[in-house]
Amino acid sequence: MTTTQMAREIAEQPEAVARTLDALLPLVPELAALARPRRRVLLAGRGTSDNAAVYGRYVCEALAGVPAALAAPSVATHYGARLDLSDTLVVSLSQSGSTGEIVETQRWARDCGAATLAVTNTAGSPLTEEADLAFVTEAGPERAVPATKTFTTALVAVGLLLPALTGREPEGLRALPDAVAEAVGRGGAAERAASVLAARRGGTVVTGRGLTFPVALETGLKLEETCLRPVRGLSYADLQHGPRAVLDGTTAVVVVAPTEGPVLPDLTAFTASLPATGAAVVGLGGDEALGAHCDPWVRGPVLGEALSAVTTAVLGQLVAERLAAELGLDPDAPRGLRKVTQTEARTA
């Protein structure tokens, strides 16, 4: 079996996460000092970085008790609105650090009085040069177009907002590289999941809630870009409404879940209702009770809810890479995509 570049980069994630923790943990006091006078957090990103930003919002609000929101970059780049951001920490995410729209949004935020944190995998990039503080992840070069290790390390970086805002580390932080290695080892289960998804031509929905909901969005994006299939990422609270009507014997639902936490019981009950629709149910993460309603179940490491996002992201990447291979597609270079995407032809 030919090993893809995407598969190799998925396998590099335990070391990438360890390097990122080593590099960024010493900067947490500096971030705490930057954030201390600010009352709220605004996060800006596109694509995969936007999904990492959604995770950051949950970290800030659900775990740190700090109001947070996602920025609409066009407010800066097209409308040029003048907002009072003097009480705001703005976190700008771009793997390349060169996405013009995000660089421009960060510049706008600074001009509106915000403190700025850049999260990127590229030292010396425009995003880092103009930020008050830069969290440069240590993913190393990423050559496959789909983001894998740059996404997981971005989650790690954004997760450090918790100790910066509260002084508390996410549960299991120091053991995270080992947990990521355990997730990388779930290739066999991921292959079975890919086979199930390949047989369901009617469509796929990826669902979750809470701190792993951003991973549902990211897994849907990975399946779309590598497998060239329309995939929706939805909160299960939204899926229970109109979208549930599309589920039948030709479709599949991928459920992304933490191994613990307040959303797990309701998510498990919802998962138990899915087989009656005729849809195939694939589980990523969760506990034994949730896994009992999934076929197949890609078990994740037992980890605190906040960091389950990192390990379930790895599980979703494994499934996407294997599904692309099963469909005879090249996950390293999806059709019509390139590594750095510029939303508009704007200079920054």
Side-chain angles (χ1 to χ4, degrees):
M1 181 175 65
T2 301
T3 301
T4 65
Q5 181 66 32
M6 183 180 177
R8 287 191 289 271
E9 289 172 353
I10 291 171
E12 292 170 6
Q13 290 181 110
E15 292 77 14
V17 167
R19 290 193 303 268
T20 297
L21 286 171
D22 288 344
L24 299 187
L25 278 170
L27 299 179
V28 168
E30 194 173 345
L31 176 57
L34 187 67
R36 193 170 297 122
R38 315 287 168 163
R39 294 179 50 252
R40 54 183 176 167
V41 177
L42 193 62
L43 302 106
R46 283 296 186 200
T48 285
S49 293
D50 193 37
N51 294 334
V54 175
Y55 173 68
R57 180 181 181 182
Y58 277 96
V59 169
C60 290
E61 294 195 323
L63 302 183
V66 174
L70 302 182
S74 63
V75 171
T77 60
H78 288 75
Y79 293 99
R82 304 305 301 172
L83 305 182
D84 180 2
L85 299 180
S86 58
D87 66 347
T88 305
L89 171 68
V90 170
V91 182
S92 303
L93 300 97
S94 167
Q95 295 152 26
S96 68
S98 300
T99 301
E101 182 183 30
I102 302 305
V103 173
E104 189 174 345
T105 298
Q106 179 180 259
R107 186 179 299 134
W108 164 84
R110 181 197 60 204
D111 291 344
C112 289
T116 55
L117 171 69
V119 176
T120 178
N121 194 47
T122 309
S125 60
L127 202 68
T128 64
E129 293 299 304
E130 298 188 23
D132 293 317
L133 178 64
F135 271 17
V136 179
T137 57
E138 296 291 336
E142 189 174 63
R143 296 182 175 86
V145 169
T148 53
K149 57 184 180 172
T150 54
F151 178 66
T152 53
T153 55
L155 293 181
V156 171
V158 171
L160 294 180
L161 284 164
L162 180 60
L165 294 171
T166 68
R168 304 189 315 271
E169 289 186 359
E171 182 186 349
L173 183 64
R174 307 290 171 149
L176 185 57
D178 289 339
V180 171
E182 185 178 340
V184 168
R186 298 288 196 252
E191 186 123 27
R192 292 190 292 276
S195 294
V196 168
L197 295 179
R200 297 292 174 129
R201 296 285 183 172
T204 301
V205 176
V206 188
T207 190
R209 199 167 190 185
L211 282 148
T212 53
F213 171 58
V215 179
L217 298 177
E218 176 65 12
T219 300
L221 175 61
K222 284 289 163 287
L223 291 170
E224 282 194 318
E225 66 185 353
T226 61
C227 304
L228 308 184
R229 289 180 166 188
V231 179
R232 294 192 70 183
L234 292 169
S235 164
Y236 85 81
D238 290 323
L239 179 56
Q240 288 187 88
H241 296 284
R244 187 185 177 100
V246 307
L247 302 180
D248 60 22
T250 71
T251 61
V253 181
V254 179
V255 179
V256 180
T259 56
E260 62 173 38
V263 304
L264 184 58
D266 286 346
L267 185 53
T268 299
F270 173 70
T271 304
S273 74
L274 291 173
T277 68
V281 184
V282 174
L284 303 182
D287 61 2
E288 295 276 355
L290 183 140
H293 304 293
C294 303
D295 185 20
W297 175 36
V298 187
R299 180 196 300 263
V302 177
L303 199 61
E305 182 186 13
L307 295 179
S308 285
V310 180
T311 53
T312 52
V314 175
L315 303 180
Q317 294 163 8
L318 289 168
V319 172
E321 191 276 337
R322 285 294 84 207
L323 178 56
E326 182 148 344
L327 296 175
L329 300 169
D330 179 6
D332 297 337
R335 183 180 68 204
L337 299 179
R338 57 183 181 175
K339 192 63 184 167
V340 179
T341 300
Q342 300 292 1
T343 309
E344 297 95 11
R346 300 174 67 88
T347 58

